[in-house]
Amino acid sequence: MKLIKKILSYPLSVLFYISFGLTLVIFHPIQWLGLTIGGAKGHRTTINLMNLGLLRCLHTLGGTFSFSNTYKLPKDRSLIIVSNHQSMFDIALISWFLRKHKPKFISKIELGKGIPSVSFNLRNGGHALIDRKNPKQSIPALSEFGKFISDNKFSAVIFPEGTRSRDGKPKEFAPTGLKILLKKAPDSLVVPVTVNNGWKLLKHGNFPLGIGMHMTLEVKEPIEINELPTEELLDTIRERIISTIIT
């Protein structure tokens, strides 16, 4: 069975890359039209549709995805969504399933140029582009981002691990960015979330891709910022995220 899956993964990976690339290329002008004609709301609508389209590309690999949430998240206040990080599809999962909360992402500055649809969205969708090697740029950018999501009742999404886990095992959290958001958006509700199985997409590298994976997004119990001292709050967030990670 493993040999059959490995053989199938080659043509299916080609099909995936074609469908994934076409989705990004097609939605680039659609985003521009949405922003030009409909403003921020029109742009968000096109981004939501694009993320659904990107998730559907997983079907070419025999992949599926699901969402689990037993908590009622408020729509009239900002959220700080904290997640583990396993693949590029973590972003699409959060963007689509939590779209009603207008999620905005923190991204490395290099992604702000050269990628169809992605770069346009990062530059025009209210996201934060930071230079990880330059604290003089990144810290003020994160501070401004925290205030921005607080003022507009948006949701900030942060991956404290920084880089993706290659085997699903949680990496150490870098707390600096999250601490800044907690300070600059003190009225926000912290929402830990756990993603699973995204790492299996690249378990063989960029080609061939893994097939037949089931990616999941699970919302954990939210936490009020003033509920715990900062260090205890950070530990609680991490514990809730990693408690249901499957490796």
Side-chain angles (χ1 to χ4, degrees):
M1 180 61 71
K2 287 184 178 180
L3 178 60
I4 294 174
K5 288 183 70 174
K6 189 67 178 290
I7 293 171
L8 284 174
S9 68
Y10 284 91
L12 293 181
S13 294
V14 173
L15 185 59
F16 168 83
Y17 276 121
I18 291 172
S19 61
F20 187 84
L22 281 175
T23 301
L24 293 181
V25 170
I26 290 169
F27 270 94
H28 192 90
I30 293 175
Q31 274 192 74
W32 181 85
L33 282 173
L35 181 61
T36 302
I37 297 173
K41 185 176 181 180
H43 185 228
R44 281 197 302 271
T45 299
T46 63
I47 289 301
N48 290 338
L49 292 173
M50 182 186 75
N51 281 301
L52 177 59
L54 292 174
L55 289 173
R56 294 297 184 193
C57 291
L58 289 171
H59 296 332
T60 62
L61 297 169
T64 56
F65 50 89
S66 62
F67 175 62
S68 173
N69 178 25
T70 59
Y71 304 98
K72 188 172 183 179
L73 302 179
K75 298 177 185 177
D76 58 349
R77 63 185 293 195
S78 57
L79 309 179
I80 298 177
I81 300 168
V82 191
S83 175
N84 62 314
H85 198 16
Q86 294 191 352
S87 79
M88 58 185 174
F89 276 96
D90 302 343
I91 296 169
L93 282 168
I94 293 170
S95 293
W96 173 249
F97 286 112
L98 295 175
R99 61 191 181 278
K100 293 180 180 179
H101 303 281
K102 303 173 184 175
K104 308 296 179 182
F105 291 82
I106 299 168
S107 175
K108 57 184 179 181
I109 199 167
E110 293 86 351
L111 297 180
K113 295 180 180 179
I115 307 174
S117 282
V118 173
S119 297
F120 185 91
N121 179 34
L122 289 175
R123 293 195 311 271
N124 296 280
H127 308 282
L129 290 169
I130 64 169
D131 184 348
R132 294 176 181 173
K133 300 177 182 179
N134 183 6
K136 290 184 179 180
Q137 184 275 340
S138 60
I139 291 177
L142 285 171
S143 297
E144 184 178 342
F145 179 62
K147 188 175 185 304
F148 170 74
I149 66 113
S150 180
D151 291 345
N152 292 279
K153 303 297 185 292
F154 292 156
S155 298
V157 182
I158 185 168
F159 301 102
E161 291 170 300
T163 57
R164 298 190 296 267
S165 170
R166 303 298 180 180
D167 56 6
K169 296 179 181 178
K171 302 171 71 174
E172 287 299 317
F173 280 20
T176 302
L178 182 51
K179 284 183 176 180
I180 292 173
L181 291 182
L182 295 174
K183 181 179 180 181
K184 295 298 180 177
D187 296 328
S188 301
L189 181 68
V190 179
V191 182
V193 302
T194 303
V195 293
N196 268 308
N197 296 324
W199 66 273
K200 294 179 180 179
L201 183 69
L202 297 175
K203 64 181 179 180
H204 304 305
N206 291 320
F207 191 87
L209 298 169
I211 64 173
M213 77 291 293
H214 176 65
M215 297 185 187
T216 65
L217 173 65
E218 180 183 359
V219 174
K220 311 313 262 307
E221 184 180 356
I223 315 168
E224 294 288 351
I225 289 177
N226 60 3
E227 189 174 313
L228 297 168
T230 301
E231 294 303 322
E232 190 176 344
L233 175 62
L234 294 175
D235 289 341
T236 302
I237 293 169
R238 187 176 189 276
E239 288 169 4
R240 290 186 183 178
I241 292 172
I242 69 175
S243 63
T244 52
I245 290 178
I246 301 170
T247 58

